[in-house]
Amino acid sequence: MPTDCISYQNSGYFSPLMKDYLEQKSALLPLYNRFPNLENFEAQIEEKKINFNGNDDGNEKREILVSVLEKQYAKINTSETTLNNIKLLNNSNTFTITTGHQLNLFSGPLYFLYKIISTINLTNELKVKYPSQNFVPIYWMATEDHDFEEINYFNFKGRKFRWNTESSGPVGRLSTESLSDFFEVYAKELGSGKNADAIKKMFQEAYLKHSNLADATRFLANTLFGEYGLVILDADDQDLKRSFIPYLKEELTQQTSYKKVLETSEKLKNYTIQVNPREINLFYMEDNIRERIIFENEIYKVNNTQLEFTETEILSLLENHPEKFSPNVIMRPLYQEVILPNLCYIGGGGEIAYWLELKSFFDAVKVTFPILLLRNSVLLATEKQVTKADKLGLFWSDLFSKQADLVNHKTSELSEFPIDLSIQKDFLKNQFHYLHSLAQKTDQSFLGAVKAQESKQIKGLENLEKRLLKAQKRKYSETVERITDLQNELFPNQSLQERQANFSEFYIDKGENFIPQLFNQLKPLENNFNIIILP
């Protein structure tokens, strides 16, 4: 049984838009800058160098970025590799590769790891290809998000662990004080042993020894990836947002993003639109609120509050307190590309889909659009599960298929005789062909009777086919059950494992070798769904 990979396009888990992007369909070419391959980074480097380093402003932005990062890292111990990467950001020949993620409790689903590993591995590949340049992996923490319900849980061995607490405002500022009770419940589920103790320590030090979710998440990500040089950025910062003031001002007064993204959405009308722009794509943010800014009757209003501003007042507020303005999903990518010397954004299918809506907006505000790379996707399987699959005669393409299709296909294979009655249905249609010709020469009532009889008999054969399939499923029920049990192990809730399970589920069995194995096997520029066999 092949165990390495299956193409994204054949996995059954990617949208038509992502399939067409991966196949570089001509209709999508205007919606991105360059397709992700090693050779295309040469031109991307040159373009970003001019766009970001072209004047004193570029040097100032680098100095601000390094200063902010040094402050954010002052409270935690990290590797020399990470500290060196932060210093390198002051150099004009240093560029970033960035991924972003919400502040999911204890990292959330597995693909958090795959995003970051894709990012770090790509910087290593680029350094080999372009040794005169430096490449720094960035994890952009989504500290300004306010949808707590999306991030307040994770799954461990089929059980959901949810953090029940009150939340308002940006999640990065949320207190972690109430997580001590949560930890006690989770720790009992982990049990005892070296790996279980390592997970408990990781959780305790991240969440019980840090006062807010941003600091806790930074500590956790640094624990997992600091030795690989990952730089973790919280962009909820006054100094960073001061660099973004000209773009915030344009958003408030010109609504350029709304106009440009609407134009692009029309080009994507044959696909599912990922996000829809608002007239102003900014939030007003303070400690306990993050609410949309709305422009009505020449007044700027903060949704669900009594706050109102004239244009003069809101622009004055922007100059003095840029930290009170928070970009939404449309403006956040621009903020990222303005403050970082970034070459490439790495994300999941949904993220890449909304980035494709933004190219014309970036062009309008004269900011280089990054290369867009679909992150690595992974299915983790044990050697025992592979052995089971071999005994059941299953291929990976079988296991990736919908469960109903898998069961029907394997039942047909197991059956001693054909279950598909297509031959009989084709024979019946040929028989009725003569009757149709005869009916054409008579009246319409006879033609209708022929059609009705044909439909009735075809339907009868289809019903027999279904009953035959059902009978064979009963006959081979034991084998069918073993097949579905295996698929359910690998695809929890008939969904992708990487979207369901937490890393601790695998760390508790594999320990400190788990993450290095992922690093060794994931290749960010290969468009394949990786299947990794854990010893």
Side-chain angles (χ1 to χ4, degrees), residues 253-316:
T253 60
Q254 303 299 320
Q255 291 92 53
T256 304
S257 67
Y258 177 71
K259 298 166 190 172
K260 291 299 180 181
V261 175
L262 272 187
E263 290 175 11
T264 304
S265 297
E266 182 62 24
K267 297 176 184 177
L268 289 167
K269 62 184 178 182
N270 294 327
Y271 302 97
T272 299
I273 299 297
Q274 196 68 25
V275 294
N276 291 300
R278 299 185 183 278
E279 290 188 0
I280 294 179
N281 292 285
L282 297 173
F283 291 92
Y284 178 89
M285 188 169 70
E286 290 185 358
D287 282 342
N288 295 316
I289 65 168
R290 184 177 185 250
E291 293 285 352
R292 288 194 297 118
I293 297 173
I294 301 168
F295 188 58
E296 291 180 347
N297 302 319
E298 305 302 314
I299 294 293
Y300 294 88
K301 301 177 181 179
V302 178
N303 198 37
N304 295 322
T305 74
Q306 300 299 313
L307 294 171
E308 294 186 353
F309 306 94
T310 64
E311 181 176 299
T312 300
E313 289 170 339
I314 202 165
L315 293 181
S316 175

Coordinates of all heavy atoms in Angstrom, one line a residue, residues 253-316:
T253 N -11.6 57.2 4.5 CA -12.1 58.3 3.7 C -12.4 57.9 2.3 O -13.2 58.6 1.6 CB -11.0 59.5 3.7 OG1 -9.8 59.0 3.2 CG2 -10.8 60.0 5.1
Q254 N -11.7 56.9 1.7 CA -11.9 56.5 0.3 C -12.6 55.2 0.1 O -13.1 54.9 -1.0 CB -10.5 56.5 -0.4 CG -9.7 57.8 -0.3 CD -10.4 59.0 -0.9 OE1 -11.0 58.8 -2.0 NE2 -10.4 60.1 -0.3
Q255 N -12.5 54.3 1.1 CA -13.1 53.0 1.0 C -12.6 52.2 -0.2 O -13.4 51.5 -1.0 CB -14.7 53.0 1.0 CG -15.3 53.4 2.3 CD -15.5 54.9 2.4 OE1 -16.2 55.5 1.5 NE2 -15.1 55.5 3.5
T256 N -11.3 52.3 -0.5 CA -10.7 51.7 -1.7 C -10.9 50.1 -1.6 O -11.2 49.5 -2.7 CB -9.2 52.0 -1.8 OG1 -9.1 53.4 -1.7 CG2 -8.6 51.4 -3.0
S257 N -10.7 49.5 -0.5 CA -10.8 48.1 -0.4 C -12.2 47.6 -0.8 O -12.3 46.6 -1.5 CB -10.5 47.6 1.0 OG -11.5 48.0 1.9
Y258 N -13.2 48.3 -0.4 CA -14.6 47.9 -0.7 C -14.8 47.9 -2.2 O -15.3 46.9 -2.8 CB -15.6 48.8 -0.1 CG -17.0 48.6 -0.4 CD1 -17.7 47.5 0.1 CD2 -17.7 49.5 -1.2 CE1 -19.0 47.3 -0.2 CE2 -19.1 49.3 -1.5 CZ -19.7 48.2 -1.0 OH -21.0 47.9 -1.3
K259 N -14.4 48.9 -2.9 CA -14.6 49.1 -4.3 C -13.8 48.0 -5.1 O -14.3 47.4 -6.0 CB -14.1 50.5 -4.8 CG -14.9 51.6 -4.2 CD -14.2 53.0 -4.4 CE -14.9 54.0 -3.5 NZ -14.2 55.3 -3.6
K260 N -12.5 47.8 -4.7 CA -11.7 46.9 -5.5 C -12.0 45.4 -5.2 O -12.0 44.6 -6.2 CB -10.2 47.1 -5.1 CG -9.7 48.5 -5.6 CD -9.7 48.5 -7.1 CE -9.2 49.8 -7.7 NZ -9.3 49.9 -9.2
V261 N -12.4 45.1 -4.0 CA -12.7 43.7 -3.7 C -14.0 43.3 -4.3 O -14.2 42.2 -4.8 CB -12.7 43.4 -2.2 CG1 -13.2 42.0 -1.9 CG2 -11.3 43.6 -1.6
L262 N -15.0 44.3 -4.4 CA -16.2 44.0 -5.1 C -16.0 43.7 -6.6 O -16.6 42.8 -7.1 CB -17.2 45.2 -5.0 CG -18.1 45.3 -3.8 CD1 -19.1 46.4 -3.9 CD2 -18.9 44.0 -3.6
E263 N -15.1 44.4 -7.2 CA -14.8 44.2 -8.6 C -14.2 42.8 -8.8 O -14.6 42.0 -9.7 CB -13.7 45.2 -9.1 CG -14.2 46.6 -9.2 CD -13.1 47.6 -9.6 OE1 -12.0 47.1 -9.9 OE2 -13.3 48.8 -9.5
T264 N -13.3 42.4 -7.9 CA -12.7 41.0 -8.0 C -13.7 39.9 -7.7 O -13.7 38.9 -8.3 CB -11.5 40.9 -7.0 OG1 -10.6 41.9 -7.3 CG2 -10.8 39.6 -7.1
S265 N -14.6 40.2 -6.8 CA -15.7 39.2 -6.4 C -16.5 38.8 -7.7 O -16.9 37.7 -7.8 CB -16.6 39.7 -5.3 OG -15.9 39.9 -4.1
E266 N -16.7 39.8 -8.5 CA -17.4 39.6 -9.8 C -16.7 38.6 -10.7 O -17.3 37.7 -11.3 CB -17.7 40.9 -10.5 CG -18.5 40.8 -11.8 CD -19.9 40.3 -11.6 OE1 -20.4 40.4 -10.5 OE2 -20.4 39.7 -12.6
K267 N -15.4 38.7 -10.6 CA -14.6 37.7 -11.4 C -14.6 36.3 -10.9 O -14.3 35.4 -11.6 CB -13.1 38.2 -11.5 CG -12.9 39.6 -12.2 CD -11.5 40.0 -12.2 CE -11.4 41.4 -12.8 NZ -10.0 41.9 -12.7
L268 N -14.9 36.2 -9.6 CA -15.0 34.9 -8.9 C -16.4 34.4 -8.7 O -16.7 33.5 -7.9 CB -14.3 35.0 -7.5 CG -12.8 35.2 -7.5 CD1 -12.3 35.6 -6.1 CD2 -12.1 33.9 -7.9
K269 N -17.3 35.0 -9.5 CA -18.8 34.6 -9.3 C -19.1 33.2 -9.6 O -20.1 32.7 -9.1 CB -19.6 35.5 -10.2 CG -19.4 35.4 -11.7 CD -20.3 36.4 -12.4 CE -20.0 36.2 -14.0 NZ -20.8 37.2 -14.7
N270 N -18.2 32.5 -10.3 CA -18.5 31.1 -10.6 C -18.0 30.2 -9.4 O -18.1 28.9 -9.5 CB -17.8 30.6 -11.9 CG -18.5 31.3 -13.1 OD1 -19.7 31.5 -13.1 ND2 -17.7 31.6 -14.1
Y271 N -17.4 30.8 -8.4 CA -16.9 30.1 -7.2 C -17.6 30.5 -6.0 O -18.3 31.5 -6.0 CB -15.4 30.3 -7.0 CG -14.5 29.9 -8.2 CD1 -14.1 30.9 -9.1 CD2 -14.1 28.6 -8.4 CE1 -13.3 30.5 -10.2 CE2 -13.3 28.3 -9.5 CZ -12.9 29.2 -10.4 OH -12.1 28.9 -11.4
T272 N -17.4 29.8 -4.9 CA -17.9 30.3 -3.6 C -17.1 31.4 -3.1 O -15.8 31.3 -2.9 CB -17.9 29.2 -2.6 OG1 -18.7 28.1 -3.1 CG2 -18.5 29.6 -1.3
I273 N -17.7 32.6 -2.9 CA -16.9 33.8 -2.4 C -16.7 33.6 -0.9 O -17.5 33.3 -0.1 CB -17.8 35.1 -2.6 CG1 -18.0 35.3 -4.1 CG2 -17.0 36.2 -1.9 CD1 -16.8 35.5 -4.9
Q274 N -15.4 33.7 -0.5 CA -15.0 33.4 0.9 C -15.4 34.5 1.8 O -15.9 34.3 2.9 CB -13.5 33.2 0.9 CG -13.0 32.5 2.2 CD -13.5 31.1 2.3 OE1 -13.8 30.4 1.3 NE2 -13.6 30.6 3.6
V275 N -15.1 35.8 1.5 CA -15.5 36.9 2.3 C -16.1 38.0 1.5 O -15.8 38.2 0.3 CB -14.3 37.5 3.1 CG1 -13.8 36.5 4.1 CG2 -13.2 37.9 2.2
N276 N -17.0 38.8 2.1 CA -17.6 39.9 1.4 C -17.1 41.2 2.1 O -17.2 41.3 3.3 CB -19.1 39.8 1.4 CG -19.6 38.7 0.6 OD1 -19.4 38.7 -0.6 ND2 -20.3 37.7 1.2
P277 N -16.7 42.2 1.3 CA -16.2 43.4 2.0 C -17.3 44.3 2.5 O -18.4 44.3 2.1 CB -15.5 44.1 0.8 CG -16.3 43.7 -0.4 CD -16.7 42.3 -0.1
R278 N -17.0 45.1 3.5 CA -17.9 46.1 4.0 C -17.4 47.5 3.5 O -16.2 47.6 3.0 CB -17.9 46.1 5.6 CG -18.4 44.8 6.1 CD -18.5 44.9 7.6 NE -18.9 43.6 8.2 CZ -20.2 43.2 8.3 NH1 -21.2 43.9 7.8 NH2 -20.5 42.0 8.9
E279 N -18.2 48.5 3.6 CA -17.8 49.8 3.1 C -16.5 50.3 3.9 O -15.7 50.9 3.3 CB -18.9 50.8 3.2 CG -20.1 50.5 2.2 CD -21.1 51.5 2.2 OE1 -21.0 52.5 2.9 OE2 -22.1 51.4 1.4
I280 N -16.5 50.0 5.2 CA -15.3 50.3 6.0 C -14.9 49.0 6.6 O -15.6 48.4 7.4 CB -15.5 51.4 7.0 CG1 -15.8 52.7 6.3 CG2 -14.3 51.5 7.9 CD1 -16.1 53.9 7.2
N281 N -13.7 48.5 6.4 CA -13.2 47.2 6.8 C -12.3 47.4 8.0 O -11.2 46.8 8.1 CB -12.5 46.5 5.7 CG -13.6 46.1 4.6 OD1 -14.3 45.2 4.8 ND2 -13.6 46.8 3.5
L282 N -12.8 48.1 9.0 CA -12.1 48.4 10.2 C -13.0 48.3 11.4 O -14.2 48.5 11.4 CB -11.5 49.8 10.2 CG -10.4 50.1 9.2 CD1 -10.1 51.6 9.2 CD2 -9.2 49.3 9.3
F283 N -12.3 47.9 12.6 CA -13.0 47.9 13.9 C -12.4 49.0 14.7 O -11.3 49.4 14.6 CB -12.8 46.5 14.6 CG -13.5 45.4 14.0 CD1 -12.8 44.6 13.0 CD2 -14.8 45.0 14.3 CE1 -13.5 43.5 12.5 CE2 -15.4 43.9 13.8 CZ -14.8 43.2 12.8
Y284 N -13.3 49.5 15.6 CA -12.8 50.3 16.7 C -12.5 49.4 17.9 O -13.3 48.5 18.2 CB -13.9 51.3 17.1 CG -13.5 52.2 18.3 CD1 -12.7 53.4 18.1 CD2 -13.8 51.8 19.6 CE1 -12.4 54.2 19.2 CE2 -13.4 52.6 20.7 CZ -12.7 53.8 20.5 OH -12.3 54.6 21.5
M285 N -11.4 49.5 18.6 CA -11.0 48.5 19.6 C -10.5 49.2 20.8 O -9.6 50.1 20.8 CB -9.9 47.6 19.0 CG -9.5 46.4 19.8 SD -8.5 45.3 19.0 CE -6.9 46.2 18.8
E286 N -11.0 48.7 21.9 CA -10.5 49.1 23.3 C -10.5 47.7 24.0 O -10.8 46.7 23.5 CB -11.4 50.1 24.0 CG -11.2 51.5 23.4 CD -12.0 52.5 24.1 OE1 -12.7 52.2 25.1 OE2 -12.0 53.7 23.7
D287 N -10.1 47.8 25.3 CA -9.9 46.6 26.1 C -11.1 45.6 26.0 O -10.9 44.4 25.8 CB -9.6 46.9 27.5 CG -8.2 47.4 27.8 OD1 -7.4 47.1 26.9 OD2 -7.9 48.0 28.8
N288 N -12.3 46.1 26.1 CA -13.4 45.2 26.2 C -14.3 45.2 25.0 O -15.4 44.6 25.0 CB -14.2 45.4 27.5 CG -13.4 45.1 28.7 OD1 -12.8 44.1 28.8 ND2 -13.5 46.0 29.7
I289 N -13.9 46.0 24.0 CA -14.8 46.0 22.8 C -14.0 46.0 21.5 O -12.8 46.4 21.5 CB -15.7 47.3 22.7 CG1 -14.8 48.6 22.6 CG2 -16.6 47.4 23.9 CD1 -15.6 49.8 22.2
R290 N -14.5 45.4 20.5 CA -14.0 45.4 19.1 C -15.2 45.4 18.2 O -15.8 44.4 18.0 CB -13.1 44.2 18.8 CG -12.4 44.3 17.4 CD -11.5 43.2 17.2 NE -10.7 43.2 16.0 CZ -11.0 42.4 14.9 NH1 -11.9 41.5 15.0 NH2 -10.3 42.6 13.8
E291 N -15.6 46.6 17.8 CA -16.9 46.8 17.0 C -16.6 47.5 15.7 O -15.7 48.3 15.6 CB -17.9 47.6 17.9 CG -18.4 46.9 19.1 CD -19.4 45.8 18.8 OE1 -19.8 45.6 17.6 OE2 -19.8 45.0 19.7
R292 N -17.4 47.1 14.7 CA -17.3 47.7 13.4 C -17.5 49.2 13.4 O -18.3 49.8 14.1 CB -18.3 47.1 12.5 CG -18.1 45.7 12.1 CD -18.9 45.3 10.9 NE -20.3 45.3 11.2 CZ -21.2 46.1 10.6 NH1 -20.8 46.9 9.6 NH2 -22.5 46.0 10.9
I293 N -16.7 49.9 12.5 CA -16.9 51.3 12.3 C -17.8 51.4 11.1 O -17.5 50.8 10.0 CB -15.5 52.0 12.0 CG1 -14.6 51.9 13.2 CG2 -15.7 53.4 11.6 CD1 -13.2 52.4 13.0
I294 N -18.8 52.2 11.2 CA -19.9 52.4 10.2 C -19.9 53.9 9.8 O -19.9 54.8 10.7 CB -21.2 51.9 10.7 CG1 -21.2 50.4 11.1 CG2 -22.3 52.1 9.6 CD1 -22.4 50.0 11.9
F295 N -20.0 54.2 8.5 CA -20.2 55.5 8.1 C -21.6 55.8 7.6 O -22.1 55.2 6.6 CB -19.2 55.8 6.9 CG -19.1 57.2 6.5 CD1 -18.7 58.2 7.4 CD2 -19.4 57.6 5.2 CE1 -18.6 59.5 7.0 CE2 -19.3 58.9 4.8 CZ -18.9 59.9 5.7
E296 N -22.3 56.7 8.4 CA -23.7 57.0 8.0 C -23.9 58.5 8.2 O -23.6 59.1 9.2 CB -24.6 56.2 9.0 CG -24.7 54.7 8.8 CD -25.7 54.1 9.7 OE1 -26.1 54.7 10.7 OE2 -26.0 52.9 9.5
N297 N -24.5 59.1 7.2 CA -24.9 60.5 7.2 C -23.7 61.4 7.6 O -23.8 62.3 8.5 CB -26.1 60.7 8.2 CG -27.3 59.9 7.8 OD1 -27.6 59.8 6.6 ND2 -27.9 59.3 8.8
E298 N -22.6 61.1 7.0 CA -21.4 61.9 7.2 C -20.8 61.8 8.6 O -19.9 62.6 9.0 CB -21.6 63.4 6.9 CG -22.2 63.7 5.5 CD -21.2 63.2 4.4 OE1 -20.0 63.4 4.5 OE2 -21.7 62.5 3.5
I299 N -21.2 60.7 9.4 CA -20.7 60.5 10.7 C -20.2 59.1 10.8 O -20.8 58.1 10.3 CB -21.9 60.7 11.8 CG1 -22.3 62.2 11.8 CG2 -21.4 60.3 13.1 CD1 -21.3 63.1 12.3
Y300 N -19.1 58.9 11.5 CA -18.5 57.6 11.8 C -19.0 57.1 13.1 O -18.8 57.8 14.2 CB -17.0 57.7 11.8 CG -16.3 58.1 10.5 CD1 -16.1 59.4 10.1 CD2 -16.0 57.1 9.6 CE1 -15.6 59.7 8.9 CE2 -15.4 57.4 8.4 CZ -15.2 58.7 8.0 OH -14.7 59.1 6.8
K301 N -19.7 56.0 13.1 CA -20.3 55.4 14.3 C -19.6 54.1 14.6 O -19.2 53.3 13.7 CB -21.8 55.2 14.1 CG -22.5 56.5 13.8 CD -24.0 56.2 13.5 CE -24.8 57.5 13.1 NZ -26.2 57.2 12.9
V302 N -19.5 53.8 15.9 CA -19.0 52.5 16.3 C -20.2 51.6 16.7 O -21.0 51.9 17.6 CB -18.1 52.6 17.6 CG1 -17.6 51.3 18.0 CG2 -16.9 53.5 17.2
N303 N -20.4 50.5 16.0 CA -21.5 49.7 16.1 C -21.7 49.2 17.6 O -20.8 48.9 18.3 CB -21.4 48.5 15.2 CG -22.6 47.7 14.9 OD1 -23.7 48.3 14.8 ND2 -22.6 46.4 14.8
N304 N -23.0 49.2 18.0 CA -23.4 48.7 19.3 C -22.8 49.6 20.5 O -22.7 49.1 21.6 CB -22.9 47.2 19.5 CG -23.7 46.3 18.6 OD1 -24.9 46.5 18.3 ND2 -23.0 45.3 18.1
T305 N -22.4 50.8 20.1 CA -22.0 51.7 21.2 C -22.6 53.1 20.9 O -23.3 53.3 19.9 CB -20.5 51.9 21.2 OG1 -20.0 52.7 20.1 CG2 -19.8 50.5 21.2
Q306 N -22.3 54.0 21.8 CA -22.8 55.4 21.6 C -21.7 56.3 20.9 O -21.9 57.5 20.7 CB -23.2 56.0 22.9 CG -24.3 55.3 23.6 CD -25.6 55.3 22.8 OE1 -26.0 56.3 22.3 NE2 -26.2 54.1 22.7
L307 N -20.6 55.7 20.6 CA -19.5 56.5 20.1 C -19.7 56.9 18.7 O -20.1 56.2 17.8 CB -18.2 55.6 20.1 CG -17.6 55.2 21.5 CD1 -16.5 54.2 21.3 CD2 -17.2 56.5 22.2
E308 N -19.5 58.3 18.4 CA -19.7 58.9 17.1 C -18.5 59.9 16.9 O -18.1 60.5 17.8 CB -21.0 59.6 17.0 CG -22.2 58.6 17.0 CD -23.5 59.4 16.8 OE1 -23.5 60.6 16.7 OE2 -24.6 58.7 16.6
F309 N -18.1 60.0 15.6 CA -17.0 60.9 15.3 C -17.3 61.6 14.0 O -17.8 61.0 13.0 CB -15.7 60.2 15.1 CG -15.3 59.3 16.3 CD1 -15.7 58.0 16.4 CD2 -14.6 59.9 17.4 CE1 -15.3 57.2 17.4 CE2 -14.3 59.1 18.5 CZ -14.6 57.7 18.5
T310 N -17.0 62.9 13.9 CA -16.9 63.5 12.6 C -15.6 63.1 11.9 O -14.8 62.4 12.5 CB -16.8 65.1 12.7 OG1 -15.6 65.4 13.4 CG2 -18.0 65.6 13.5
E311 N -15.5 63.4 10.6 CA -14.3 63.0 9.9 C -13.0 63.6 10.5 O -12.0 62.9 10.7 CB -14.3 63.4 8.4 CG -13.1 63.0 7.6 CD -13.2 63.3 6.2 OE1 -14.1 62.8 5.5 OE2 -12.3 64.1 5.7
T312 N -13.1 64.9 10.9 CA -12.0 65.5 11.6 C -11.6 64.8 12.9 O -10.4 64.6 13.2 CB -12.3 67.0 11.8 OG1 -12.6 67.7 10.6 CG2 -11.1 67.7 12.5
E313 N -12.6 64.5 13.7 CA -12.4 63.8 15.0 C -11.8 62.4 14.8 O -10.9 62.1 15.5 CB -13.7 63.7 15.7 CG -14.2 65.1 16.2 CD -15.7 65.0 16.8 OE1 -16.4 64.0 16.4 OE2 -16.0 65.9 17.5
I314 N -12.3 61.7 13.8 CA -11.8 60.3 13.7 C -10.4 60.3 13.2 O -9.6 59.4 13.5 CB -12.8 59.4 12.9 CG1 -12.5 57.9 13.3 CG2 -12.6 59.6 11.4 CD1 -13.6 57.0 12.8
L315 N -10.1 61.2 12.3 CA -8.7 61.3 11.7 C -7.7 61.8 12.8 O -6.6 61.3 12.8 CB -8.7 62.2 10.5 CG -9.4 61.7 9.3 CD1 -9.3 62.6 8.1 CD2 -8.9 60.3 8.9
S316 N -8.2 62.6 13.7 CA -7.4 63.1 14.8 C -7.1 61.9 15.8 O -6.0 61.7 16.3 CB -8.0 64.2 15.5 OG -7.3 64.6 16.7

